[in-house]
Amino acid sequence: MADDHDLRARTMSAARFAEEGYAAAPIFDPALVRAAAGDIAEHIDRVARALYLPFEASCPDAPLVERIDQVYAKERSVANLLRVAVCTDAHRGERLQALANDSRLIATAEDLSARSLAGRIIRVRANIACFPEHRHAWHSDVARDDGTGCSKVVVTAWIPLSDVGPASGGLEVAAGRQPAPLASAGDEGYEIPEWRLASLPRVRPACPAGTALFLDRFTPHRTLPTKATRFALVVWMKAA
């Protein structure tokens, strides 16, 4: 019975992905996902200890979801340095790598996209209240289907490291699988103008820790505002 239930769930997810360009799937133990955020805390410590600024000024006792905001109140440039460090290198942490390389994640992505996948790009993404300018506007993960490396991305797995929803820095998705990118060829920033999304329904999926939100490469999405920092592990998967 359990196998039948899993099969039905996978079939429904695949149908949603094929029609709407996104699907959410519970894959990981929520406790393991929350624990993986420890890699980010340790990375912030590592970077902060390398600065001339006293380590105590990096607010090491603050909760992870408030730490960069607290640093920002004292040292804006240091807060930005920590943000960039997290988004550039924290994904190499052992626990985060275990999530990104989990065979269930890759298998689910292949089931949904109905394609074999090989190459991957892995990063941590942070939605931080004090840096609203770094929230992503409407875009798709492939904005130019031009045969270059980036355009070979087939599906993205967005894995929040905490319970995330519309009020806590989640994503908004313009549902409806697209045959091509919606960004105009002349857009320098790859942002999709609002008018191009006027006919598409908007959804704001709730993603409890342990859930991965899978996005087709052309599905428009954007980052919603947050009051506390939200971290997510993102895996862009390319065609084999």
Side-chain angles (χ1 to χ4, degrees), residues 42-234:
E42 291 170 9
H43 192 59
I44 292 175
D45 282 350
R46 185 181 302 110
V47 174
R49 290 186 189 280
L51 303 177
Y52 285 118
L53 188 76
F55 178 70
E56 291 71 24
S58 72
C59 306
D61 296 327
L64 179 60
V65 295
E66 300 174 10
R67 186 172 180 181
I68 293 178
D69 285 304
Q70 290 191 21
V71 174
Y72 181 90
K74 304 173 184 178
E75 297 281 350
R76 294 186 181 186
S77 60
V78 172
N80 190 53
L81 184 150
L82 296 175
R83 179 192 66 82
V84 173
V86 166
C87 295
T88 302
D89 196 51
H91 64 279
R92 292 184 170 91
E94 183 177 353
R95 288 165 288 192
L96 292 171
Q97 283 288 305
L99 296 179
N101 293 313
D102 193 296
S103 60
R104 294 170 296 177
L105 185 75
I106 300 163
T108 302
E110 290 186 329
D111 284 346
L112 294 176
S113 62
R115 296 184 64 173
S116 296
L117 303 171
R120 283 172 295 157
I121 302 169
I122 305 167
R123 292 291 185 274
V124 169
R125 288 294 175 254
N127 184 0
I128 307 172
C130 63
F131 289 113
E133 68 273 21
H134 290 290
R135 289 201 300 266
H136 289 114
W138 285 111
H139 70 287
S140 58
D141 289 325
V142 173
R144 302 283 184 274
D145 193 11
D146 55 8
T148 59
C150 287
S151 71
K152 293 179 182 178
V153 169
V154 173
V155 60
T156 300
W158 185 80
I159 310 163
L161 302 181
S162 58
D163 296 342
V164 168
S168 50
L171 298 185
E172 183 172 26
V173 177
R177 196 167 185 183
Q178 303 299 318
L182 293 180
S184 300
D187 292 344
E188 293 182 1
Y190 304 101
E191 181 178 339
I192 300 174
E194 182 72 30
W195 64 266
R196 300 208 70 181
L197 305 171
S199 63
L200 298 177
R202 314 293 175 85
V203 293
R204 297 181 172 188
C207 291
T211 294
L213 179 64
F214 293 89
L215 299 167
D216 178 72
R217 61 182 184 156
F218 298 144
T219 297
H221 55 283
R222 67 175 174 179
T223 309
L224 295 169
T226 186
K227 294 181 180 179
T229 298
R230 180 271 296 150
F231 294 105
L233 181 68
V234 184

